[in-house]
mmCIF file of all heavy atoms in Angstrom:
data_model
loop_
_atom_site.group_PDB
_atom_site.id
_atom_site.type_symbol
_atom_site.label_atom_id
_atom_site.label_comp_id
_atom_site.label_asym_id
_atom_site.label_seq_id
_atom_site.Cartn_x
_atom_site.Cartn_y
_atom_site.Cartn_z
ATOM 1 N N LEU W 1 -16.308 -1.081 -3.404
ATOM 2 C CA LEU W 1 -15.326 -2.038 -3.002
ATOM 3 C C LEU W 1 -14.174 -1.386 -2.325
ATOM 4 O O LEU W 1 -14.089 -0.206 -2.324
ATOM 5 C CB LEU W 1 -14.866 -2.808 -4.287
ATOM 6 C CG LEU W 1 -14.050 -2.092 -5.320
ATOM 7 C CD1 LEU W 1 -13.695 -3.103 -6.460
ATOM 8 C CD2 LEU W 1 -14.701 -0.918 -5.971
ATOM 9 N N THR W 2 -13.262 -2.208 -1.801
ATOM 10 C CA THR W 2 -12.101 -1.647 -1.067
ATOM 11 C C THR W 2 -10.842 -1.828 -1.888
ATOM 12 O O THR W 2 -10.865 -2.495 -2.930
ATOM 13 C CB THR W 2 -11.868 -2.445 0.234
ATOM 14 O OG1 THR W 2 -11.562 -3.860 -0.077
ATOM 15 C CG2 THR W 2 -13.244 -2.487 1.093
ATOM 16 N N ALA W 3 -9.794 -1.230 -1.391
ATOM 17 C CA ALA W 3 -8.470 -1.370 -2.121
ATOM 18 C C ALA W 3 -7.992 -2.752 -2.210
ATOM 19 O O ALA W 3 -7.519 -3.237 -3.285
ATOM 20 C CB ALA W 3 -7.481 -0.436 -1.386
ATOM 21 N N ALA W 4 -8.280 -3.557 -1.166
ATOM 22 C CA ALA W 4 -7.809 -5.010 -1.244
ATOM 23 C C ALA W 4 -8.682 -5.798 -2.326
ATOM 24 O O ALA W 4 -8.133 -6.653 -2.967
ATOM 25 C CB ALA W 4 -8.107 -5.634 0.119
ATOM 26 N N GLU W 5 -9.943 -5.446 -2.402
ATOM 27 C CA GLU W 5 -10.787 -6.112 -3.430
ATOM 28 C C GLU W 5 -10.327 -5.735 -4.873
ATOM 29 O O GLU W 5 -10.411 -6.534 -5.766
ATOM 30 C CB GLU W 5 -12.244 -5.793 -3.183
ATOM 31 C CG GLU W 5 -12.715 -6.444 -1.933
ATOM 32 C CD GLU W 5 -14.155 -5.901 -1.492
ATOM 33 O OE1 GLU W 5 -14.463 -4.772 -1.860
ATOM 34 O OE2 GLU W 5 -14.812 -6.617 -0.767
ATOM 35 N N VAL W 6 -9.847 -4.425 -5.006
ATOM 36 C CA VAL W 6 -9.408 -3.996 -6.355
ATOM 37 C C VAL W 6 -8.114 -4.859 -6.668
ATOM 38 O O VAL W 6 -8.023 -5.311 -7.806
ATOM 39 C CB VAL W 6 -9.129 -2.547 -6.332
ATOM 40 C CG1 VAL W 6 -8.306 -2.176 -7.656
ATOM 41 C CG2 VAL W 6 -10.306 -1.775 -6.253
ATOM 42 N N LYS W 7 -7.188 -5.004 -5.715
ATOM 43 C CA LYS W 7 -6.010 -5.786 -5.933
ATOM 44 C C LYS W 7 -6.325 -7.222 -6.202
ATOM 45 O O LYS W 7 -5.549 -7.932 -6.850
ATOM 46 C CB LYS W 7 -5.131 -5.663 -4.703
ATOM 47 C CG LYS W 7 -4.567 -4.243 -4.492
ATOM 48 C CD LYS W 7 -3.767 -4.203 -3.230
ATOM 49 C CE LYS W 7 -3.236 -2.781 -2.971
ATOM 50 N NZ LYS W 7 -2.484 -2.624 -1.730
ATOM 51 N N ALA W 8 -7.503 -7.777 -5.697
ATOM 52 C CA ALA W 8 -7.856 -9.123 -5.892
ATOM 53 C C ALA W 8 -8.545 -9.246 -7.367
ATOM 54 O O ALA W 8 -8.944 -10.389 -7.712
ATOM 55 C CB ALA W 8 -8.820 -9.586 -4.840
ATOM 56 N N GLY W 9 -8.708 -8.233 -8.001
ATOM 57 C CA GLY W 9 -9.256 -8.271 -9.385
ATOM 58 C C GLY W 9 -10.703 -7.878 -9.638
ATOM 59 O O GLY W 9 -11.185 -7.907 -10.796
ATOM 60 N N ARG W 10 -11.320 -7.312 -8.589
ATOM 61 C CA ARG W 10 -12.743 -6.955 -8.745
ATOM 62 C C ARG W 10 -12.778 -5.652 -9.478
ATOM 63 O O ARG W 10 -11.920 -4.769 -9.374
ATOM 64 C CB ARG W 10 -13.425 -6.782 -7.389
ATOM 65 C CG ARG W 10 -13.814 -8.060 -6.683
ATOM 66 C CD ARG W 10 -14.706 -7.905 -5.538
ATOM 67 N NE ARG W 10 -15.895 -7.136 -5.942
ATOM 68 C CZ ARG W 10 -16.787 -6.651 -4.987
ATOM 69 N NH1 ARG W 10 -16.588 -6.864 -3.758
ATOM 70 N NH2 ARG W 10 -17.776 -5.962 -5.460
ATOM 71 N N LYS W 11 -13.900 -5.487 -10.287
ATOM 72 C CA LYS W 11 -14.051 -4.300 -11.050
ATOM 73 C C LYS W 11 -15.010 -3.342 -10.331
ATOM 74 O O LYS W 11 -15.999 -3.789 -9.776
ATOM 75 C CB LYS W 11 -14.597 -4.597 -12.488
ATOM 76 C CG LYS W 11 -13.634 -5.516 -13.254
ATOM 77 C CD LYS W 11 -12.310 -4.887 -13.539
ATOM 78 C CE LYS W 11 -11.413 -5.757 -14.341
ATOM 79 N NZ LYS W 11 -10.093 -5.091 -14.606
ATOM 80 N N ALA W 12 -14.855 -2.081 -10.459
ATOM 81 C CA ALA W 12 -15.596 -1.030 -9.792
ATOM 82 C C ALA W 12 -16.693 -0.536 -10.788
ATOM 83 O O ALA W 12 -16.537 -0.604 -12.042
ATOM 84 C CB ALA W 12 -14.821 0.117 -9.362
ATOM 85 N N SER W 13 -17.817 -0.040 -10.216
ATOM 86 C CA SER W 13 -18.887 0.568 -10.986
ATOM 87 C C SER W 13 -19.371 1.845 -10.134
ATOM 88 O O SER W 13 -19.216 1.734 -8.968
ATOM 89 C CB SER W 13 -20.044 -0.334 -11.281
ATOM 90 O OG SER W 13 -20.625 -0.863 -10.027
ATOM 91 N N PRO W 14 -19.877 2.823 -10.835
ATOM 92 C CA PRO W 14 -20.327 3.972 -10.079
ATOM 93 C C PRO W 14 -21.379 3.721 -8.985
ATOM 94 O O PRO W 14 -22.206 2.839 -9.253
ATOM 95 C CB PRO W 14 -20.850 4.873 -11.164
ATOM 96 C CG PRO W 14 -20.144 4.497 -12.400
ATOM 97 C CD PRO W 14 -20.007 2.978 -12.284
ATOM 98 N N GLN W 15 -21.190 4.255 -7.825
ATOM 99 C CA GLN W 15 -22.189 4.051 -6.772
ATOM 100 C C GLN W 15 -23.135 5.303 -6.616
ATOM 101 O O GLN W 15 -22.618 6.451 -6.804
ATOM 102 C CB GLN W 15 -21.411 3.845 -5.431
ATOM 103 C CG GLN W 15 -20.498 2.620 -5.488
ATOM 104 C CD GLN W 15 -21.221 1.365 -5.761
ATOM 105 O OE1 GLN W 15 -22.038 0.982 -4.912
ATOM 106 N NE2 GLN W 15 -20.864 0.643 -6.821
ATOM 107 N N THR W 16 -24.320 5.094 -6.228
ATOM 108 C CA THR W 16 -25.247 6.227 -6.020
ATOM 109 C C THR W 16 -26.068 5.917 -4.742
ATOM 110 O O THR W 16 -25.994 4.811 -4.242
ATOM 111 C CB THR W 16 -26.271 6.319 -7.215
ATOM 112 O OG1 THR W 16 -27.018 5.112 -7.391
ATOM 113 C CG2 THR W 16 -25.582 6.642 -8.492
ATOM 114 N N ASN W 17 -26.656 6.985 -4.265
ATOM 115 C CA ASN W 17 -27.495 6.798 -2.988
ATOM 116 C C ASN W 17 -28.733 7.686 -3.189
ATOM 117 O O ASN W 17 -29.007 8.390 -4.179
ATOM 118 C CB ASN W 17 -26.703 7.207 -1.716
ATOM 119 C CG ASN W 17 -26.221 8.688 -1.831
ATOM 120 O OD1 ASN W 17 -26.735 9.542 -2.516
ATOM 121 N ND2 ASN W 17 -25.118 8.971 -1.109
ATOM 122 N N ALA W 18 -29.650 7.562 -2.220
ATOM 123 C CA ALA W 18 -30.995 8.211 -2.216
ATOM 124 C C ALA W 18 -30.823 9.784 -2.368
ATOM 125 O O ALA W 18 -31.712 10.413 -2.877
ATOM 126 C CB ALA W 18 -31.864 7.767 -1.074
ATOM 127 N N ALA W 19 -29.750 10.274 -1.827
ATOM 128 C CA ALA W 19 -29.602 11.710 -1.799
ATOM 129 C C ALA W 19 -29.042 12.298 -3.128
ATOM 130 O O ALA W 19 -29.014 13.531 -3.269
ATOM 131 C CB ALA W 19 -28.678 12.164 -0.687
ATOM 132 N N GLY W 20 -28.785 11.407 -3.999
ATOM 133 C CA GLY W 20 -28.184 11.861 -5.397
ATOM 134 C C GLY W 20 -26.699 11.824 -5.348
ATOM 135 O O GLY W 20 -26.133 12.222 -6.385
ATOM 136 N N GLY W 21 -26.067 11.253 -4.323
ATOM 137 C CA GLY W 21 -24.598 11.223 -4.365
ATOM 138 C C GLY W 21 -24.054 10.224 -5.291
ATOM 139 O O GLY W 21 -24.739 9.212 -5.610
ATOM 140 N N VAL W 22 -22.883 10.572 -5.794
ATOM 141 C CA VAL W 22 -22.227 9.601 -6.799
ATOM 142 C C VAL W 22 -20.820 9.360 -6.264
ATOM 143 O O VAL W 22 -20.084 10.310 -5.967
ATOM 144 C CB VAL W 22 -22.122 10.203 -8.211
ATOM 145 C CG1 VAL W 22 -21.319 9.305 -9.029
ATOM 146 C CG2 VAL W 22 -23.585 10.325 -8.758
ATOM 147 N N GLY W 23 -20.404 8.083 -6.190
ATOM 148 C CA GLY W 23 -18.990 7.700 -5.888
ATOM 149 C C GLY W 23 -18.454 6.947 -7.044
ATOM 150 O O GLY W 23 -19.012 5.982 -7.542
ATOM 151 N N LEU W 24 -17.354 7.447 -7.602
ATOM 152 C CA LEU W 24 -16.733 6.937 -8.835
ATOM 153 C C LEU W 24 -15.261 6.613 -8.528
ATOM 154 O O LEU W 24 -14.460 7.453 -8.183
ATOM 155 C CB LEU W 24 -16.814 7.947 -9.923
ATOM 156 C CG LEU W 24 -16.181 7.651 -11.278
ATOM 157 C CD1 LEU W 24 -16.807 6.310 -11.884
ATOM 158 C CD2 LEU W 24 -16.238 8.767 -12.204
ATOM 159 N N PHE W 25 -14.886 5.399 -8.870
ATOM 160 C CA PHE W 25 -13.474 4.911 -8.805
ATOM 161 C C PHE W 25 -13.104 4.671 -10.295
ATOM 162 O O PHE W 25 -13.641 3.830 -11.012
ATOM 163 C CB PHE W 25 -13.259 3.713 -8.056
ATOM 164 C CG PHE W 25 -11.863 3.055 -8.145
ATOM 165 C CD1 PHE W 25 -10.740 3.916 -8.097
ATOM 166 C CD2 PHE W 25 -11.688 1.678 -8.398
ATOM 167 C CE1 PHE W 25 -9.419 3.361 -8.177
ATOM 168 C CE2 PHE W 25 -10.405 1.140 -8.490
ATOM 169 C CZ PHE W 25 -9.258 1.993 -8.482
ATOM 170 N N THR W 26 -12.136 5.515 -10.798
ATOM 171 C CA THR W 26 -11.802 5.408 -12.245
ATOM 172 C C THR W 26 -10.364 5.884 -12.481
ATOM 173 O O THR W 26 -9.821 6.576 -11.623
ATOM 174 C CB THR W 26 -12.668 6.265 -13.155
ATOM 175 O OG1 THR W 26 -12.403 6.178 -14.461
ATOM 176 C CG2 THR W 26 -12.586 7.757 -12.678
ATOM 177 N N ALA W 27 -9.778 5.492 -13.605
ATOM 178 C CA ALA W 27 -8.507 5.969 -14.054
ATOM 179 C C ALA W 27 -8.628 6.849 -15.282
ATOM 180 O O ALA W 27 -7.656 7.237 -15.846
ATOM 181 C CB ALA W 27 -7.600 4.744 -14.340
ATOM 182 N N ALA W 28 -9.876 7.248 -15.553
ATOM 183 C CA ALA W 28 -10.111 8.022 -16.813
ATOM 184 C C ALA W 28 -10.859 9.360 -16.442
ATOM 185 O O ALA W 28 -11.959 9.306 -16.048
ATOM 186 C CB ALA W 28 -10.958 7.213 -17.814
ATOM 187 N N ILE W 29 -10.194 10.408 -16.772
ATOM 188 C CA ILE W 29 -10.868 11.775 -16.570
ATOM 189 C C ILE W 29 -12.040 11.859 -17.474
ATOM 190 O O ILE W 29 -13.043 12.532 -17.057
ATOM 191 C CB ILE W 29 -9.818 12.854 -16.856
ATOM 192 C CG1 ILE W 29 -8.806 12.928 -15.704
ATOM 193 C CG2 ILE W 29 -10.484 14.273 -16.955
ATOM 194 C CD1 ILE W 29 -9.266 13.340 -14.379
ATOM 195 N N ASP W 30 -12.031 11.329 -18.669
ATOM 196 C CA ASP W 30 -13.166 11.358 -19.543
ATOM 197 C C ASP W 30 -14.482 10.852 -18.815
ATOM 198 O O ASP W 30 -15.579 11.327 -18.989
ATOM 199 C CB ASP W 30 -12.918 10.601 -20.790
ATOM 200 C CG ASP W 30 -11.970 11.325 -21.727
ATOM 201 O OD1 ASP W 30 -11.584 12.408 -21.456
ATOM 202 O OD2 ASP W 30 -11.526 10.618 -22.767
ATOM 203 N N GLU W 31 -14.257 9.781 -18.022
ATOM 204 C CA GLU W 31 -15.438 9.166 -17.321
ATOM 205 C C GLU W 31 -15.938 10.148 -16.236
ATOM 206 O O GLU W 31 -17.114 10.334 -16.030
ATOM 207 C CB GLU W 31 -15.070 7.872 -16.716
ATOM 208 C CG GLU W 31 -16.225 7.159 -16.136
ATOM 209 C CD GLU W 31 -15.933 5.684 -15.635
ATOM 210 O OE1 GLU W 31 -14.684 5.348 -15.609
ATOM 211 O OE2 GLU W 31 -16.784 5.007 -15.093
ATOM 212 N N VAL W 32 -15.001 10.827 -15.563
ATOM 213 C CA VAL W 32 -15.401 11.842 -14.565
ATOM 214 C C VAL W 32 -16.224 12.953 -15.264
ATOM 215 O O VAL W 32 -17.280 13.366 -14.748
ATOM 216 C CB VAL W 32 -14.195 12.361 -13.942
ATOM 217 C CG1 VAL W 32 -14.551 13.532 -12.927
ATOM 218 C CG2 VAL W 32 -13.295 11.317 -13.230
ATOM 219 N N VAL W 33 -15.759 13.362 -16.360
ATOM 220 C CA VAL W 33 -16.389 14.518 -17.033
ATOM 221 C C VAL W 33 -17.734 14.133 -17.531
ATOM 222 O O VAL W 33 -18.748 14.854 -17.505
ATOM 223 C CB VAL W 33 -15.538 15.023 -18.227
ATOM 224 C CG1 VAL W 33 -16.290 16.058 -19.016
ATOM 225 C CG2 VAL W 33 -14.255 15.637 -17.721
ATOM 226 N N GLU W 34 -17.968 12.915 -18.099
ATOM 227 C CA GLU W 34 -19.171 12.401 -18.546
ATOM 228 C C GLU W 34 -20.212 12.348 -17.388
ATOM 229 O O GLU W 34 -21.363 12.762 -17.675
ATOM 230 C CB GLU W 34 -18.938 10.910 -19.149
ATOM 231 C CG GLU W 34 -20.264 10.314 -19.652
ATOM 232 C CD GLU W 34 -20.029 8.934 -20.231
ATOM 233 O OE1 GLU W 34 -18.814 8.449 -20.240
ATOM 234 O OE2 GLU W 34 -21.021 8.276 -20.573
ATOM 235 N N ILE W 35 -19.903 11.963 -16.280
ATOM 236 C CA ILE W 35 -20.888 11.909 -15.148
ATOM 237 C C ILE W 35 -21.120 13.341 -14.711
ATOM 238 O O ILE W 35 -22.289 13.751 -14.335
ATOM 239 C CB ILE W 35 -20.298 11.074 -13.968
ATOM 240 C CG1 ILE W 35 -20.238 9.585 -14.428
ATOM 241 C CG2 ILE W 35 -21.200 11.206 -12.768
ATOM 242 C CD1 ILE W 35 -19.766 8.625 -13.413
ATOM 243 N N MET W 36 -20.118 14.220 -14.663
ATOM 244 C CA MET W 36 -20.313 15.566 -14.320
ATOM 245 C C MET W 36 -21.346 16.314 -15.235
ATOM 246 O O MET W 36 -22.295 16.936 -14.804
ATOM 247 C CB MET W 36 -18.986 16.358 -14.365
ATOM 248 C CG MET W 36 -18.083 16.082 -13.184
ATOM 249 S SD MET W 36 -16.462 16.957 -13.367
ATOM 250 C CE MET W 36 -17.007 18.680 -13.478
ATOM 251 N N ASP W 37 -21.174 16.066 -16.534
ATOM 252 C CA ASP W 37 -22.034 16.710 -17.462
ATOM 253 C C ASP W 37 -23.493 16.193 -17.424
ATOM 254 O O ASP W 37 -24.378 16.946 -17.720
ATOM 255 C CB ASP W 37 -21.513 16.336 -18.921
ATOM 256 C CG ASP W 37 -20.274 17.232 -19.261
ATOM 257 O OD1 ASP W 37 -20.074 18.256 -18.542
ATOM 258 O OD2 ASP W 37 -19.590 16.927 -20.276
ATOM 259 N N ALA W 38 -23.646 14.975 -16.928
ATOM 260 C CA ALA W 38 -25.006 14.493 -16.710
ATOM 261 C C ALA W 38 -25.651 15.042 -15.409
ATOM 262 O O ALA W 38 -26.910 15.061 -15.363
ATOM 263 C CB ALA W 38 -24.986 12.968 -16.643
ATOM 264 N N ARG W 39 -24.838 15.531 -14.510
ATOM 265 C CA ARG W 39 -25.381 16.059 -13.263
ATOM 266 C C ARG W 39 -25.696 17.522 -13.310
ATOM 267 O O ARG W 39 -26.668 17.985 -12.672
ATOM 268 C CB ARG W 39 -24.384 15.794 -12.116
ATOM 269 C CG ARG W 39 -24.321 14.291 -11.729
ATOM 270 C CD ARG W 39 -23.162 13.972 -10.748
ATOM 271 N NE ARG W 39 -23.311 14.781 -9.538
ATOM 272 C CZ ARG W 39 -24.061 14.266 -8.476
ATOM 273 N NH1 ARG W 39 -24.767 13.170 -8.592
ATOM 274 N NH2 ARG W 39 -24.120 14.986 -7.295
ATOM 275 N N PHE W 40 -24.846 18.346 -13.964
ATOM 276 C CA PHE W 40 -25.047 19.777 -13.980
ATOM 277 C C PHE W 40 -24.347 20.461 -15.221
ATOM 278 O O PHE W 40 -23.359 19.869 -15.647
ATOM 279 C CB PHE W 40 -24.585 20.400 -12.640
ATOM 280 C CG PHE W 40 -23.101 20.109 -12.285
ATOM 281 C CD1 PHE W 40 -22.053 20.721 -12.845
ATOM 282 C CD2 PHE W 40 -22.878 19.001 -11.423
ATOM 283 C CE1 PHE W 40 -20.660 20.403 -12.547
ATOM 284 C CE2 PHE W 40 -21.539 18.669 -11.026
ATOM 285 C CZ PHE W 40 -20.498 19.370 -11.641
#
């Protein structure tokens, strides 16, 4: 989602692609670490 959509109240969820990429929008470092630990 975009910054405008966040301001409109939409909630984000982690994005993935076929190459294994992960895109994460979050305000919690704990969530970042959780996904990192699952990857490597």
Side-chain angles (χ1 to χ4, degrees):
L1 70 179
T2 66
E5 290 168 338
V6 170
K7 292 176 182 178
R10 284 192 54 187
K11 300 297 182 182
S13 60
Q15 302 297 300
T16 59
N17 58 28
V22 172
L24 175 66
F25 171 47
T26 183
I29 288 294
D30 288 352
E31 187 177 2
V32 178
V33 173
E34 182 180 352
I35 294 179
M36 285 176 57
D37 286 342
R39 287 173 64 83
F40 51 83

